[in-house]
Amino acid sequence: MSGQGAVLSDFVRTSGPLNGQALHHLALTCASAVARLHARGNVGLGLSHESVALGSHGQVLIGWQPGVTPGSAADDMRDWADLVVFAGTGRTDGDTSVLTPALRLAVRQCRQPDPTARPRAADVLRVLLGRSVAAAVASVDDLLAS
């Protein structure tokens, strides 16, 4: 990710944890990317604070190499939750009380010990977008377009 921005772990170490809109934007962008990749059948993404960079113009850049990390969609959602907690606290095991209620709910669900109980990336995306139940049948692309 060199030359594309600050790797999240470096950014948090030098500038401190993200909060407010910046944290929500990171969580939303990463959930969106995971949802799109999952919709295309890609899992085992290895999402971490080392594979995400913050671009110089506010964009979030996600490094991903197909087939590098064995895993499942549920593992990816656990990784997403750990990434969000790290971004908001500076630690993967940080205190989630600093997160907004929507992020706290999503993180708690994605960290459930039973992988089959974890939500899909598209479901997390719906929560973060604050969509109604009627949006539950929309595709990821439809949600992102609105």
Side-chain angles (χ1 to χ4, degrees), residues 66-108:
V68 172
T69 307
S72 67
D75 294 334
D76 291 339
M77 295 316 298
R78 171 65 194 225
D79 292 345
W80 173 86
D82 290 345
L83 171 79
V84 170
V85 171
F86 176 83
T89 68
R91 301 172 47 118
T92 56
D93 62 348
D95 180 6
T96 60
S97 68
V98 301
L99 304 177
T100 63
L103 284 178
R104 216 174 19 253
L105 170 66
V107 163
R108 184 174 44 245

mmCIF file of all heavy atoms in Angstrom, residues 66-108:
data_model
loop_
_atom_site.group_PDB
_atom_site.id
_atom_site.type_symbol
_atom_site.label_atom_id
_atom_site.label_comp_id
_atom_site.label_asym_id
_atom_site.label_seq_id
_atom_site.Cartn_x
_atom_site.Cartn_y
_atom_site.Cartn_z
ATOM 1 N N PRO A 66 -6.319 -12.154 -3.655
ATOM 2 C CA PRO A 66 -7.185 -13.335 -3.670
ATOM 3 C C PRO A 66 -6.413 -14.606 -3.338
ATOM 4 O O PRO A 66 -5.297 -14.819 -3.786
ATOM 5 C CB PRO A 66 -7.723 -13.373 -5.103
ATOM 6 C CG PRO A 66 -6.840 -12.484 -5.896
ATOM 7 C CD PRO A 66 -6.218 -11.511 -4.945
ATOM 8 N N GLY A 67 -7.048 -15.438 -2.483
ATOM 9 C CA GLY A 67 -6.504 -16.744 -2.170
ATOM 10 C C GLY A 67 -5.314 -16.764 -1.230
ATOM 11 O O GLY A 67 -4.758 -17.827 -0.965
ATOM 12 N N VAL A 68 -4.909 -15.625 -0.703
ATOM 13 C CA VAL A 68 -3.736 -15.590 0.165
ATOM 14 C C VAL A 68 -4.067 -16.094 1.574
ATOM 15 O O VAL A 68 -3.286 -16.788 2.195
ATOM 16 C CB VAL A 68 -3.145 -14.167 0.224
ATOM 17 C CG1 VAL A 68 -2.059 -14.068 1.273
ATOM 18 C CG2 VAL A 68 -2.611 -13.780 -1.135
ATOM 19 N N THR A 69 -5.229 -15.736 2.075
ATOM 20 C CA THR A 69 -5.612 -16.085 3.433
ATOM 21 C C THR A 69 -6.762 -17.082 3.422
ATOM 22 O O THR A 69 -7.826 -16.767 2.910
ATOM 23 C CB THR A 69 -6.067 -14.816 4.190
ATOM 24 O OG1 THR A 69 -5.051 -13.837 4.069
ATOM 25 C CG2 THR A 69 -6.331 -15.110 5.643
ATOM 26 N N PRO A 70 -6.549 -18.282 3.993
ATOM 27 C CA PRO A 70 -7.693 -19.192 4.096
ATOM 28 C C PRO A 70 -8.669 -18.659 5.129
ATOM 29 O O PRO A 70 -8.262 -18.047 6.116
ATOM 30 C CB PRO A 70 -7.062 -20.503 4.561
ATOM 31 C CG PRO A 70 -5.799 -20.110 5.236
ATOM 32 C CD PRO A 70 -5.342 -18.837 4.586
ATOM 33 N N GLY A 71 -9.914 -18.838 4.902
ATOM 34 C CA GLY A 71 -10.900 -18.349 5.857
ATOM 35 C C GLY A 71 -12.281 -18.353 5.242
ATOM 36 O O GLY A 71 -12.491 -18.801 4.125
ATOM 37 N N SER A 72 -13.210 -17.830 6.004
ATOM 38 C CA SER A 72 -14.607 -17.813 5.580
ATOM 39 C C SER A 72 -15.144 -16.395 5.643
ATOM 40 O O SER A 72 -14.492 -15.484 6.147
ATOM 41 C CB SER A 72 -15.426 -18.704 6.519
ATOM 42 O OG SER A 72 -15.454 -18.129 7.822
ATOM 43 N N ALA A 73 -16.360 -16.231 5.152
ATOM 44 C CA ALA A 73 -17.019 -14.931 5.236
ATOM 45 C C ALA A 73 -17.191 -14.526 6.695
ATOM 46 O O ALA A 73 -17.030 -13.347 7.047
ATOM 47 C CB ALA A 73 -18.369 -14.979 4.522
ATOM 48 N N ALA A 74 -17.487 -15.486 7.567
ATOM 49 C CA ALA A 74 -17.640 -15.188 8.995
ATOM 50 C C ALA A 74 -16.318 -14.711 9.594
ATOM 51 O O ALA A 74 -16.301 -13.801 10.430
ATOM 52 C CB ALA A 74 -18.160 -16.413 9.736
ATOM 53 N N ASP A 75 -15.216 -15.316 9.174
ATOM 54 C CA ASP A 75 -13.894 -14.865 9.643
ATOM 55 C C ASP A 75 -13.635 -13.430 9.192
ATOM 56 O O ASP A 75 -13.074 -12.628 9.944
ATOM 57 C CB ASP A 75 -12.782 -15.765 9.111
ATOM 58 C CG ASP A 75 -12.841 -17.177 9.662
ATOM 59 O OD1 ASP A 75 -13.380 -17.382 10.768
ATOM 60 O OD2 ASP A 75 -12.345 -18.087 8.960
ATOM 61 N N ASP A 76 -14.020 -13.129 7.968
ATOM 62 C CA ASP A 76 -13.843 -11.769 7.447
ATOM 63 C C ASP A 76 -14.611 -10.760 8.291
ATOM 64 O O ASP A 76 -14.129 -9.647 8.549
ATOM 65 C CB ASP A 76 -14.297 -11.665 5.994
ATOM 66 C CG ASP A 76 -13.401 -12.410 5.033
ATOM 67 O OD1 ASP A 76 -12.227 -12.681 5.373
ATOM 68 O OD2 ASP A 76 -13.877 -12.723 3.920
ATOM 69 N N MET A 77 -15.799 -11.134 8.743
ATOM 70 C CA MET A 77 -16.593 -10.208 9.544
ATOM 71 C C MET A 77 -15.988 -10.035 10.939
ATOM 72 O O MET A 77 -16.026 -8.944 11.498
ATOM 73 C CB MET A 77 -18.052 -10.677 9.627
ATOM 74 C CG MET A 77 -18.748 -10.665 8.262
ATOM 75 S SD MET A 77 -18.411 -9.168 7.279
ATOM 76 C CE MET A 77 -19.110 -7.893 8.317
ATOM 77 N N ARG A 78 -15.400 -11.077 11.481
ATOM 78 C CA ARG A 78 -14.677 -10.947 12.755
ATOM 79 C C ARG A 78 -13.490 -9.995 12.562
ATOM 80 O O ARG A 78 -13.232 -9.124 13.393
ATOM 81 C CB ARG A 78 -14.215 -12.321 13.240
ATOM 82 C CG ARG A 78 -13.284 -12.308 14.428
ATOM 83 C CD ARG A 78 -13.993 -11.756 15.651
ATOM 84 N NE ARG A 78 -13.022 -11.439 16.699
ATOM 85 C CZ ARG A 78 -13.175 -11.751 17.960
ATOM 86 N NH1 ARG A 78 -14.242 -12.396 18.350
ATOM 87 N NH2 ARG A 78 -12.276 -11.407 18.834
ATOM 88 N N ASP A 79 -12.780 -10.172 11.439
ATOM 89 C CA ASP A 79 -11.645 -9.289 11.136
ATOM 90 C C ASP A 79 -12.104 -7.843 10.978
ATOM 91 O O ASP A 79 -11.433 -6.915 11.436
ATOM 92 C CB ASP A 79 -10.929 -9.738 9.858
ATOM 93 C CG ASP A 79 -10.208 -11.060 10.003
ATOM 94 O OD1 ASP A 79 -9.998 -11.533 11.151
ATOM 95 O OD2 ASP A 79 -9.854 -11.648 8.956
ATOM 96 N N TRP A 80 -13.256 -7.648 10.332
ATOM 97 C CA TRP A 80 -13.802 -6.295 10.161
ATOM 98 C C TRP A 80 -14.060 -5.664 11.537
ATOM 99 O O TRP A 80 -13.703 -4.506 11.771
ATOM 100 C CB TRP A 80 -15.095 -6.338 9.332
ATOM 101 C CG TRP A 80 -15.782 -5.025 9.254
ATOM 102 C CD1 TRP A 80 -15.551 -4.023 8.364
ATOM 103 C CD2 TRP A 80 -16.781 -4.527 10.158
ATOM 104 N NE1 TRP A 80 -16.356 -2.940 8.649
ATOM 105 C CE2 TRP A 80 -17.111 -3.229 9.735
ATOM 106 C CE3 TRP A 80 -17.428 -5.069 11.270
ATOM 107 C CZ2 TRP A 80 -18.072 -2.455 10.391
ATOM 108 C CZ3 TRP A 80 -18.377 -4.302 11.932
ATOM 109 C CH2 TRP A 80 -18.690 -3.006 11.489
ATOM 110 N N ALA A 81 -14.671 -6.428 12.440
ATOM 111 C CA ALA A 81 -14.970 -5.919 13.777
ATOM 112 C C ALA A 81 -13.688 -5.535 14.509
ATOM 113 O O ALA A 81 -13.616 -4.465 15.130
ATOM 114 C CB ALA A 81 -15.756 -6.959 14.580
ATOM 115 N N ASP A 82 -12.674 -6.382 14.433
ATOM 116 C CA ASP A 82 -11.400 -6.079 15.086
ATOM 117 C C ASP A 82 -10.762 -4.827 14.491
ATOM 118 O O ASP A 82 -10.177 -4.018 15.208
ATOM 119 C CB ASP A 82 -10.440 -7.265 14.975
ATOM 120 C CG ASP A 82 -10.877 -8.451 15.815
ATOM 121 O OD1 ASP A 82 -11.742 -8.301 16.702
ATOM 122 O OD2 ASP A 82 -10.341 -9.560 15.582
ATOM 123 N N LEU A 83 -10.891 -4.663 13.178
ATOM 124 C CA LEU A 83 -10.356 -3.484 12.505
ATOM 125 C C LEU A 83 -11.039 -2.209 13.011
ATOM 126 O O LEU A 83 -10.378 -1.214 13.308
ATOM 127 C CB LEU A 83 -10.546 -3.614 10.995
ATOM 128 C CG LEU A 83 -10.232 -2.365 10.177
ATOM 129 C CD1 LEU A 83 -8.727 -2.236 10.000
ATOM 130 C CD2 LEU A 83 -10.922 -2.421 8.838
ATOM 131 N N VAL A 84 -12.348 -2.244 13.130
ATOM 132 C CA VAL A 84 -13.104 -1.081 13.593
ATOM 133 C C VAL A 84 -12.728 -0.741 15.035
ATOM 134 O O VAL A 84 -12.513 0.434 15.363
ATOM 135 C CB VAL A 84 -14.626 -1.312 13.452
ATOM 136 C CG1 VAL A 84 -15.423 -0.222 14.148
ATOM 137 C CG2 VAL A 84 -15.008 -1.412 11.979
ATOM 138 N N VAL A 85 -12.625 -1.748 15.878
ATOM 139 C CA VAL A 85 -12.255 -1.506 17.269
ATOM 140 C C VAL A 85 -10.848 -0.919 17.328
ATOM 141 O O VAL A 85 -10.592 0.040 18.058
ATOM 142 C CB VAL A 85 -12.374 -2.788 18.119
ATOM 143 C CG1 VAL A 85 -11.787 -2.588 19.504
ATOM 144 C CG2 VAL A 85 -13.833 -3.217 18.208
ATOM 145 N N PHE A 86 -9.922 -1.454 16.541
ATOM 146 C CA PHE A 86 -8.568 -0.909 16.510
ATOM 147 C C PHE A 86 -8.586 0.554 16.065
ATOM 148 O O PHE A 86 -7.947 1.408 16.669
ATOM 149 C CB PHE A 86 -7.652 -1.720 15.588
ATOM 150 C CG PHE A 86 -6.292 -1.110 15.479
ATOM 151 C CD1 PHE A 86 -5.332 -1.361 16.430
ATOM 152 C CD2 PHE A 86 -5.992 -0.246 14.439
ATOM 153 C CE1 PHE A 86 -4.081 -0.755 16.359
ATOM 154 C CE2 PHE A 86 -4.749 0.360 14.349
ATOM 155 C CZ PHE A 86 -3.788 0.107 15.313
ATOM 156 N N ALA A 87 -9.319 0.830 15.003
ATOM 157 C CA ALA A 87 -9.359 2.200 14.477
ATOM 158 C C ALA A 87 -9.924 3.175 15.500
ATOM 159 O O ALA A 87 -9.489 4.322 15.582
ATOM 160 C CB ALA A 87 -10.183 2.244 13.197
ATOM 161 N N GLY A 88 -10.900 2.725 16.298
ATOM 162 C CA GLY A 88 -11.542 3.607 17.267
ATOM 163 C C GLY A 88 -10.873 3.679 18.627
ATOM 164 O O GLY A 88 -11.144 4.599 19.401
ATOM 165 N N THR A 89 -9.989 2.704 18.925
ATOM 166 C CA THR A 89 -9.386 2.670 20.261
ATOM 167 C C THR A 89 -7.862 2.558 20.251
ATOM 168 O O THR A 89 -7.232 2.781 21.281
ATOM 169 C CB THR A 89 -9.920 1.473 21.076
ATOM 170 O OG1 THR A 89 -9.454 0.251 20.500
ATOM 171 C CG2 THR A 89 -11.436 1.496 21.165
ATOM 172 N N GLY A 90 -7.307 2.147 19.122
ATOM 173 C CA GLY A 90 -5.862 1.916 19.059
ATOM 174 C C GLY A 90 -5.472 0.514 19.481
ATOM 175 O O GLY A 90 -4.291 0.175 19.514
ATOM 176 N N ARG A 91 -6.466 -0.318 19.794
ATOM 177 C CA ARG A 91 -6.220 -1.712 20.211
ATOM 178 C C ARG A 91 -7.318 -2.609 19.647
ATOM 179 O O ARG A 91 -8.479 -2.203 19.618
ATOM 180 C CB ARG A 91 -6.250 -1.831 21.734
ATOM 181 C CG ARG A 91 -5.242 -0.972 22.456
ATOM 182 C CD ARG A 91 -5.492 -1.005 23.952
ATOM 183 N NE ARG A 91 -5.678 -2.360 24.420
ATOM 184 C CZ ARG A 91 -4.893 -2.969 25.310
ATOM 185 N NH1 ARG A 91 -3.902 -2.326 25.843
ATOM 186 N NH2 ARG A 91 -5.130 -4.211 25.680
ATOM 187 N N THR A 92 -6.959 -3.820 19.237
ATOM 188 C CA THR A 92 -7.992 -4.735 18.733
ATOM 189 C C THR A 92 -8.891 -5.232 19.861
ATOM 190 O O THR A 92 -10.017 -5.639 19.615
ATOM 191 C CB THR A 92 -7.380 -5.950 17.995
ATOM 192 O OG1 THR A 92 -6.470 -6.613 18.863
ATOM 193 C CG2 THR A 92 -6.705 -5.531 16.714
ATOM 194 N N ASP A 93 -8.412 -5.174 21.096
ATOM 195 C CA ASP A 93 -9.230 -5.579 22.239
ATOM 196 C C ASP A 93 -9.676 -4.361 23.051
ATOM 197 O O ASP A 93 -9.956 -4.457 24.240
ATOM 198 C CB ASP A 93 -8.473 -6.563 23.125
ATOM 199 C CG ASP A 93 -7.205 -5.959 23.735
ATOM 200 O OD1 ASP A 93 -6.785 -4.858 23.304
ATOM 201 O OD2 ASP A 93 -6.637 -6.584 24.640
ATOM 202 N N GLY A 94 -9.763 -3.211 22.397
ATOM 203 C CA GLY A 94 -10.101 -1.961 23.069
ATOM 204 C C GLY A 94 -11.533 -1.910 23.561
ATOM 205 O O GLY A 94 -12.372 -2.743 23.215
ATOM 206 N N ASP A 95 -11.820 -0.904 24.349
ATOM 207 C CA ASP A 95 -13.131 -0.689 24.957
ATOM 208 C C ASP A 95 -14.111 -0.184 23.904
ATOM 209 O O ASP A 95 -13.979 0.940 23.406
ATOM 210 C CB ASP A 95 -12.991 0.318 26.094
ATOM 211 C CG ASP A 95 -14.301 0.605 26.794
ATOM 212 O OD1 ASP A 95 -15.321 -0.050 26.492
ATOM 213 O OD2 ASP A 95 -14.306 1.512 27.653
ATOM 214 N N THR A 96 -15.103 -0.985 23.588
ATOM 215 C CA THR A 96 -16.065 -0.633 22.533
ATOM 216 C C THR A 96 -17.050 0.449 22.957
ATOM 217 O O THR A 96 -17.821 0.915 22.120
ATOM 218 C CB THR A 96 -16.832 -1.878 22.044
ATOM 219 O OG1 THR A 96 -17.544 -2.440 23.152
ATOM 220 C CG2 THR A 96 -15.883 -2.905 21.453
ATOM 221 N N SER A 97 -17.014 0.869 24.202
ATOM 222 C CA SER A 97 -17.962 1.912 24.641
ATOM 223 C C SER A 97 -17.700 3.240 23.942
ATOM 224 O O SER A 97 -18.574 4.109 23.922
ATOM 225 C CB SER A 97 -17.918 2.089 26.161
ATOM 226 O OG SER A 97 -16.684 2.648 26.562
ATOM 227 N N VAL A 98 -16.520 3.416 23.336
ATOM 228 C CA VAL A 98 -16.230 4.665 22.619
ATOM 229 C C VAL A 98 -16.877 4.673 21.233
ATOM 230 O O VAL A 98 -16.914 5.713 20.580
ATOM 231 C CB VAL A 98 -14.709 4.921 22.487
ATOM 232 C CG1 VAL A 98 -14.054 4.985 23.855
ATOM 233 C CG2 VAL A 98 -14.041 3.887 21.607
ATOM 234 N N LEU A 99 -17.380 3.543 20.782
ATOM 235 C CA LEU A 99 -18.007 3.451 19.463
ATOM 236 C C LEU A 99 -19.442 3.947 19.524
ATOM 237 O O LEU A 99 -20.087 3.894 20.568
ATOM 238 C CB LEU A 99 -17.998 1.994 18.973
ATOM 239 C CG LEU A 99 -16.646 1.295 18.908
ATOM 240 C CD1 LEU A 99 -16.827 -0.160 18.472
ATOM 241 C CD2 LEU A 99 -15.695 2.018 17.979
ATOM 242 N N THR A 100 -19.938 4.405 18.389
ATOM 243 C CA THR A 100 -21.344 4.803 18.299
ATOM 244 C C THR A 100 -22.218 3.566 18.508
ATOM 245 O O THR A 100 -21.753 2.436 18.318
ATOM 246 C CB THR A 100 -21.666 5.416 16.927
ATOM 247 O OG1 THR A 100 -21.452 4.415 15.926
ATOM 248 C CG2 THR A 100 -20.818 6.647 16.650
ATOM 249 N N PRO A 101 -23.478 3.745 18.871
ATOM 250 C CA PRO A 101 -24.340 2.583 19.090
ATOM 251 C C PRO A 101 -24.411 1.637 17.880
ATOM 252 O O PRO A 101 -24.366 0.420 18.049
ATOM 253 C CB PRO A 101 -25.708 3.199 19.396
ATOM 254 C CG PRO A 101 -25.363 4.518 20.022
ATOM 255 C CD PRO A 101 -24.147 4.995 19.268
ATOM 256 N N ALA A 102 -24.500 2.179 16.676
ATOM 257 C CA ALA A 102 -24.575 1.322 15.483
ATOM 258 C C ALA A 102 -23.294 0.513 15.312
ATOM 259 O O ALA A 102 -23.345 -0.686 15.011
ATOM 260 C CB ALA A 102 -24.845 2.155 14.235
ATOM 261 N N LEU A 103 -22.150 1.155 15.492
ATOM 262 C CA LEU A 103 -20.880 0.432 15.375
ATOM 263 C C LEU A 103 -20.728 -0.596 16.488
ATOM 264 O O LEU A 103 -20.274 -1.713 16.250
ATOM 265 C CB LEU A 103 -19.696 1.396 15.381
ATOM 266 C CG LEU A 103 -19.447 2.163 14.105
ATOM 267 C CD1 LEU A 103 -18.261 3.111 14.275
ATOM 268 C CD2 LEU A 103 -19.207 1.224 12.938
ATOM 269 N N ARG A 104 -21.120 -0.226 17.696
ATOM 270 C CA ARG A 104 -21.021 -1.154 18.831
ATOM 271 C C ARG A 104 -21.860 -2.397 18.574
ATOM 272 O O ARG A 104 -21.420 -3.522 18.806
ATOM 273 C CB ARG A 104 -21.468 -0.441 20.109
ATOM 274 C CG ARG A 104 -20.703 -0.831 21.313
ATOM 275 C CD ARG A 104 -21.010 -0.039 22.573
ATOM 276 N NE ARG A 104 -22.249 0.697 22.654
ATOM 277 C CZ ARG A 104 -22.355 2.028 22.580
ATOM 278 N NH1 ARG A 104 -21.284 2.785 22.408
ATOM 279 N NH2 ARG A 104 -23.516 2.614 22.687
ATOM 280 N N LEU A 105 -23.078 -2.205 18.078
ATOM 281 C CA LEU A 105 -23.970 -3.327 17.765
ATOM 282 C C LEU A 105 -23.348 -4.216 16.695
ATOM 283 O O LEU A 105 -23.300 -5.447 16.835
ATOM 284 C CB LEU A 105 -25.333 -2.811 17.302
ATOM 285 C CG LEU A 105 -26.282 -3.857 16.724
ATOM 286 C CD1 LEU A 105 -26.694 -4.846 17.797
ATOM 287 C CD2 LEU A 105 -27.489 -3.186 16.106
ATOM 288 N N ALA A 106 -22.876 -3.613 15.619
ATOM 289 C CA ALA A 106 -22.292 -4.387 14.523
ATOM 290 C C ALA A 106 -21.052 -5.151 14.986
ATOM 291 O O ALA A 106 -20.882 -6.327 14.664
ATOM 292 C CB ALA A 106 -21.954 -3.466 13.353
ATOM 293 N N VAL A 107 -20.206 -4.495 15.745
ATOM 294 C CA VAL A 107 -18.988 -5.143 16.246
ATOM 295 C C VAL A 107 -19.357 -6.312 17.158
ATOM 296 O O VAL A 107 -18.799 -7.407 17.035
ATOM 297 C CB VAL A 107 -18.081 -4.121 16.969
ATOM 298 C CG1 VAL A 107 -17.043 -4.804 17.847
ATOM 299 C CG2 VAL A 107 -17.415 -3.212 15.946
ATOM 300 N N ARG A 108 -20.288 -6.095 18.061
ATOM 301 C CA ARG A 108 -20.700 -7.163 18.980
ATOM 302 C C ARG A 108 -21.218 -8.374 18.200
ATOM 303 O O ARG A 108 -20.866 -9.519 18.500
ATOM 304 C CB ARG A 108 -21.755 -6.645 19.954
ATOM 305 C CG ARG A 108 -22.148 -7.674 20.999
ATOM 306 C CD ARG A 108 -23.086 -7.152 22.075
ATOM 307 N NE ARG A 108 -24.180 -6.337 21.581
ATOM 308 C CZ ARG A 108 -24.340 -5.039 21.850
ATOM 309 N NH1 ARG A 108 -23.478 -4.396 22.603
ATOM 310 N NH2 ARG A 108 -25.376 -4.380 21.359
#
